[in-house]
Structures are given as structure tokens and as C-alpha cells.
Amino acid sequence: MRYIVTTSYNANKEIVRLAKNIAEEFNVKYINRNHVSKYLKSGKIDFYYVVDKKGMLKIKWKDGEFFFHQGIAKIRMENIKHGERDYLIESLKPEKTDVVYDATCGLASDAILIANFAKKVVATEGSEHIYRVVKWGLKRYISDEEWINNAMKKIELIHDNYKNFVRNQPDNSFDIVYCDPMFENPIYESNSLNPLRGFAVYEPLSLEDLEHMVRISRKRVVIKTLKKDSLYEKIKNYFSKEFISRKSGIVYGVINKSEV
């Protein structure tokens, strides 16, 4: 995909300098924001990175944008505090001493929530563009929720495909492994994920991947899938326990290492 780096309109010198440095790092052109529309109309670029006035990095294209935000992590934590169930946390059962591997980071909303309950989250993201925006956000985003700021500090984000990563880790490297591959039957009502779809890595989870995830885990592996997806049928017999949302059909399947 073809892209450039620019700033928001009327950016100050510091933001322009930052954008030029990013363009150099990405090995692409820096373009003044006033000229970006010409590049889009002529078809010279597919999208562009924007450094906004707060120094945050986002991706924009003709009819959409993708940027880092605290997402639904804040809402989910409020729900937990009010006694509502959260199947992700229930299935993972993270403890304060646990190091958790999040195989498919995406916007990092799951990783942020997990990190609040764990010692550390190591996350991988296979998409270069999603990785760049989220990595930048984890370093620079400031939430009005202190728990989110603390959680983000406990996330180590790595640009790698989980299939490659799990094969290069020693046995029992992590207490818990969590994988949330892209659904075969997307839930388009999930507005937070929709902007990512054009940049996401679509690679189905294989049984060999699952075996490596079990191998590198110490306590358990949790796979998030849809009950109507073929992945569920393929791996459901491996689950020790399931947490299923009746409303969405989302399944958190737990494989306890002690039962393998």
C-alpha cells in the first residue's frame, strides 16, 4: 500500500518536525497537509499517516481513520467494578504475578484490561501499520483513568506474526497465552474493530499454532472465537471450559495446561 506522512492542519513547527522524523523512519515522503488531497485524488496514495496537534499518530484515508484510544477497556472495567461479568478476565484468571502473552494485539484494548490484573503483557501485532499506531499510542496516550496509564506501561508490544513468535519461544515462557484471531464471520456492529479490517492480518489459527501456544504456556491458553466459525468446530474438543456470550456467540475457550 502507498502512503505518506503529514500533520493536522495549521500544525506548529514542533509537530512538523516530528512528522518529518516519522516519514524518514518509515522511509516515505513527508507532505504538507494542504497538498494531501491532490495525492488522494490522483491515486498516488492509498492512505496517509497524520501527526495531530497533540503529537498522536493516526492513519486516515478517503472515508475513514484509525487511531489509538482506550477503547472499550474503560467501559469494561467500569462494568467489572459494578459486578458485571467479563468473560475475558474470567477465562484468563490473571494474577498479579502473571506474565501474559497476547498473540493478536490489535488496538490493545484487551491487553490494557489484562495488564491491569497481571504483572506484564507481552503482545504481538502482525500488521506493520496497526503496530506503529498502537506502539506510538501506548507510549504517548494519556488517559483520564490512572489505571489505564499504569496498565499501558506494563505492555510490551512486538511487531511479529504470532505464528512465527510462538515457534521461537521456549517451553513455559508465559503463564497465560491469549489469542483472538480475526473472525471468519465478522461482527460489523463492532465499531472499534471496523477501521482495522483493511490493515489486519487474516491468518487462520492452525492446530500446530495451538500446540505451540500450549507448549509455551505454564497455566492455560484462551482462544476467542465465534461459535459459528469453523475454528470453533476444529478446536472445541481441546477446551477444558468455555465462556459463551449468548447474545454475540463469542466463545472464550480455555485449555488448562494441567489437563493436557
Side-chain angles (χ1 to χ4, degrees):
M1 292 188 283
R2 300 160 299 170
Y3 60 96
I4 52 91
V5 177
T6 187
T7 65
S8 54
Y9 289 106
N10 302 315
N12 62 35
K13 291 181 179 179
E14 178 61 24
I15 295 299
V16 171
R17 183 192 62 79
L18 187 57
K20 288 181 177 179
N21 288 343
I22 291 172
E24 184 177 355
E25 180 186 339
F26 294 175
N27 196 28
V28 296
K29 287 182 179 180
Y30 163 80
I31 300 295
N32 183 289
R33 182 57 185 268
N34 295 322
H35 301 149
V36 170
S37 60
K38 292 190 299 184
Y39 278 74
L40 284 171
K41 289 177 182 177
S42 65
K44 290 182 179 179
I45 59 173
D46 301 302
F47 63 91
Y48 53 100
Y49 281 87
V50 178
V51 182
D52 68 19
K53 292 180 180 179
K54 294 183 179 180
M56 295 300 293
L57 190 65
K58 65 175 68 174
I59 291 175
K60 300 192 76 171
W61 55 97
K62 184 179 179 181
D63 54 0
E65 64 178 0
F66 159 52
F67 56 94
F68 178 83
H69 55 87
Q70 59 194 14
I72 60 171
K74 179 179 178 179
I75 298 171
R76 289 170 71 176
M77 181 58 74
E78 289 174 355
N79 291 340
I80 291 171
K81 288 178 179 178
H82 285 94
E84 295 185 28
R85 299 185 69 181
D86 188 282
Y87 290 137
L88 172 64
I89 299 304
E90 283 190 44
S91 60
L92 291 176
K93 296 197 293 188
E95 298 178 355
K96 288 296 182 183
T97 55
D98 286 338
V99 177
V100 180
Y101 170 51
D102 180 354
T104 46
C105 185
L107 264 176
S109 27
D110 281 347
I112 291 170
L113 189 63
I114 296 166
N116 181 69
F117 296 94
K119 179 181 179 181
K120 180 180 180 180
V121 174
V122 176
T124 50
E125 174 51 54
S127 165
E128 180 179 36
H129 300 295
I130 295 174
Y131 164 79
R132 286 171 173 173
V133 172
V134 174
K135 182 81 169 180
W136 190 270
L138 288 171
K139 286 184 176 181
R140 291 177 174 253
Y141 184 85
I142 300 175
S143 172
D144 56 356
E145 296 282 341
E146 196 56 33
W147 76 264
I148 291 179
N149 295 326
N150 292 332
M152 290 191 297
K153 293 174 185 176
K154 296 194 286 181
I155 299 172
E156 178 187 351
L157 181 57
I158 300 167
H159 177 218
D160 198 359
N161 184 297
Y162 74 82
K163 291 175 176 286
N164 178 64
F165 185 84
V166 298
R167 285 162 174 75
N168 287 289
Q169 304 307 304
D171 295 356
N172 304 311
S173 300
F174 302 95
D175 294 291
I176 304 165
V177 172
Y178 170 58
C179 184
D180 174 18
M182 296 295 286
F183 295 154
E184 296 167 32
N185 299 283
I187 302 174
Y188 290 106
E189 292 80 4
S190 180
N191 295 327
S192 63
L193 280 180
N194 289 337
L196 277 70
R197 298 192 192 280
F199 300 95
V201 176
Y202 292 84
E203 289 188 323
L205 180 75
S206 70
L207 292 180
E208 186 179 338
D209 298 331
L210 189 61
E211 288 171 2
H212 280 286
M213 289 177 181
V214 172
R215 178 184 62 79
I216 68 172
S217 68
R218 191 172 66 84
K219 292 182 177 179
R220 68 191 63 88
V221 174
V222 174
I223 306 296
K224 180 182 176 183
T225 185
L226 278 176
K227 196 162 187 179
K228 61 183 177 180
D229 280 357
S230 63
L231 175 61
Y232 175 73
E233 290 300 320
K234 185 165 66 174
I235 66 175
K236 66 180 181 180
N237 291 333
Y238 291 84
F239 296 155
S240 311
K241 189 173 184 179
E242 294 180 356
F243 295 82
I244 304 175
S245 168
R246 293 181 181 178
K247 182 179 179 181
S248 64
I250 291 175
V251 180
Y252 291 90
V254 181
I255 303 172
N256 288 318
K257 187 72 174 279
S258 61
E259 298 176 33
V260 174

